[in-house]
Amino acid sequence: MSITVATSPLKPSGQSLKRLFVQVGVLPILLVLALIVFSLMSDNFLTVRNLTNVVRQSVFLAIVSLGQMMVLLTGGFDLSVGTVLALTSVTTALSMSAFAVAMPDMLPLAIVLGCCVGVTCGSLLGLLNGVGVAFFGVSPFIMTLGVSSIGFGVALYLTGGTPVYGMPPDFGEIIGFGSFLQIPFPIWVAAALIFGSYVLVNWTRTGRSFYAVGGNIRAALLSGINTRASLLTVYVISAFLTGIAGVLMTARLDSGEANVGSSMPLESIAACVIAGVSLRGGIGRVENVILGALFINLVQNGMNLARIDSYLQTVVIGMILIAAVISDQIRLRYVADLRD
């Protein structure tokens, strides 16, 4: 009499690879490839000085990407971040120079007031976006694109297309180029905002509602979440964070510029999507978005050292965005396969 022993089939390695791709994403692979390629193209790429410069330059994109991530979590996106950056820069410079003339003996107060005016003006654009999307049901694409045009026109009208100067020297010396414990001041600001954003989206009811709204807005509404408030909040937060980045950039440039930030919508969305933030909403992590912003700046820095034409650099960033979107679609399919 023969006895047949039933054995459970081994889990196919393909499933393990799918699970790994779903959990890790495409960002680690791209980071390794970038480090290998650009280190071969330039001997100066992997130096401490250059990598420190990459981190410093990544501050602006990282802060903007944090706000963009929160909008993407709810299933929308913000095309007005570049305009918010420009309008903040212009209004900060104009108001600060005016306060400095009016209060020559109180320059620290003039700097603080100028920064507050700039961030407030930028946040108002976010409020306008939020009202249109949350209360009038306007498509995020149309709403943020229209607000982008409005804000850019206002910035150009205020400056006539020319840079704004006249800010107190301490503004650029401390905020733009100053340091504490040998760490640049903008990095301290970015670290504080990263920590605050992490706490918001992971440890608060408001932050968790962003994921719920992006996952299924109808289910979120039926579960008692104020979906309009959530949508309004993410656009205001996005503009507020972008406004802070605009102040830091103004200090770095030591002038108010109406043409800064034109590439920021593309780069911030690319940084988020590369980091695994889903364009359909409901998926994304703060720490991965920071790595995504670092990756974008790392690629730009490597291309600069390799003396690649600036116009071709734009092509590369666009290709990276397309590749990231494709990988996001593949990951969604893998998630569905793993659930079956």
Side-chain angles (χ1 to χ4, degrees):
M1 180 178 179
S2 62
I3 300 176
T4 303
V5 178
T7 58
S8 59
L10 295 175
K11 182 180 291 187
S13 59
Q15 292 293 94
S16 300
L17 291 175
K18 286 183 180 181
R19 186 172 288 106
L20 180 64
F21 181 75
V22 168
Q23 294 175 349
V24 177
V26 73
L27 181 57
I29 301 173
L30 293 177
L31 277 171
V32 171
L33 287 176
L35 289 173
I36 294 174
V37 171
F38 292 120
S39 61
L40 293 175
M41 296 179 69
S42 174
D43 295 333
N44 297 322
F45 180 71
L46 285 181
T47 61
V48 174
R49 180 178 180 180
N50 183 61
L51 293 179
T52 302
N53 182 56
V54 170
V55 174
R56 183 187 296 111
Q57 294 298 326
S58 300
V59 164
F60 313 114
L61 178 58
I63 295 175
V64 176
S65 298
L66 286 174
Q68 188 73 257
M69 182 201 77
M70 295 186 196
V71 176
L72 288 170
L73 286 178
T74 61
F77 45 86
D78 191 352
L79 298 179
S80 67
V81 290
T83 294
V84 173
L85 204 68
L87 185 63
T88 300
S89 178
V90 167
T91 53
T92 297
L94 288 172
S95 58
M96 192 179 297
S97 58
F99 286 133
V101 172
M103 302 180 294
D105 298 328
M106 303 176 66
L107 293 182
L109 179 59
I111 293 174
V112 172
L113 291 176
C115 293
C116 290
V117 170
V119 173
T120 300
C121 290
S123 299
L124 288 175
L125 291 182
L127 179 63
L128 186 59
N129 282 328
V131 170
V133 173
F135 292 94
F136 292 97
V138 182
S139 164
F141 175 82
I142 297 299
M143 192 67 210
T144 58
L145 186 63
V147 168
S148 178
S149 179
I150 293 171
F152 185 60
V154 171
L156 288 175
Y157 174 78
L158 291 174
T159 63
T162 60
V164 180
Y165 301 100
M167 295 172 289
D170 288 346
F171 175 58
E173 293 173 2
I174 297 175
I175 298 179
F177 296 92
S179 61
F180 178 68
L181 299 178
Q182 298 184 340
I183 298 177
F185 181 80
I187 295 180
W188 284 108
V189 175
L193 294 175
I194 292 168
F195 177 76
S197 299
Y198 182 86
V199 171
L200 174 64
V201 300
N202 291 287
W203 296 347
T204 68
R205 181 178 297 179
T206 300
R208 302 314 297 178
S209 71
F210 299 162
Y211 288 93
V213 171
N216 190 322
I217 190 170
R218 185 176 295 277
L221 182 62
L222 293 175
S223 64
I225 294 175
N226 189 335
T227 56
R228 287 183 174 179
S230 297
L231 290 172
L232 177 65
T233 301
V234 293
Y235 285 99
V236 173
I237 290 176
S238 176
F240 174 76
L241 292 174
T242 304
I244 294 177
V247 170
L248 295 176
M249 187 174 290
T250 303
R252 188 74 179 175
L253 297 173
D254 200 25
S255 63
E257 305 277 351
N259 57 356
V260 298
S262 59
S263 62
M264 195 60 76
L266 171 65
E267 292 177 3
S268 61
I269 294 175
C272 290
V273 176
I274 289 170
V277 181
S278 176
L279 292 175
R280 298 186 182 184
I283 300 175
R285 300 175 63 180
V286 169
E287 58 271 29
N288 290 350
V289 169
I290 303 306
L291 289 177
L294 284 170
F295 170 75
I296 295 294
N297 279 274
L298 194 70
V299 170
Q300 292 176 334
N301 176 265
M303 289 189 293
N304 286 332
L305 292 177
R307 297 182 180 180
I308 297 176
D309 190 272
S310 60
Y311 299 114
L312 291 179
Q313 292 185 24
T314 305
V315 174
V316 172
I317 298 298
M319 292 173 63
I320 290 174
L321 176 60
I322 294 173
V325 173
I326 293 174
S327 69
D328 179 58
Q329 296 298 316
I330 295 174
R331 190 178 61 169
L332 290 174
R333 293 177 186 174
Y334 284 174
V335 169
D337 290 342
L338 292 172
R339 287 175 179 174
D340 294 338

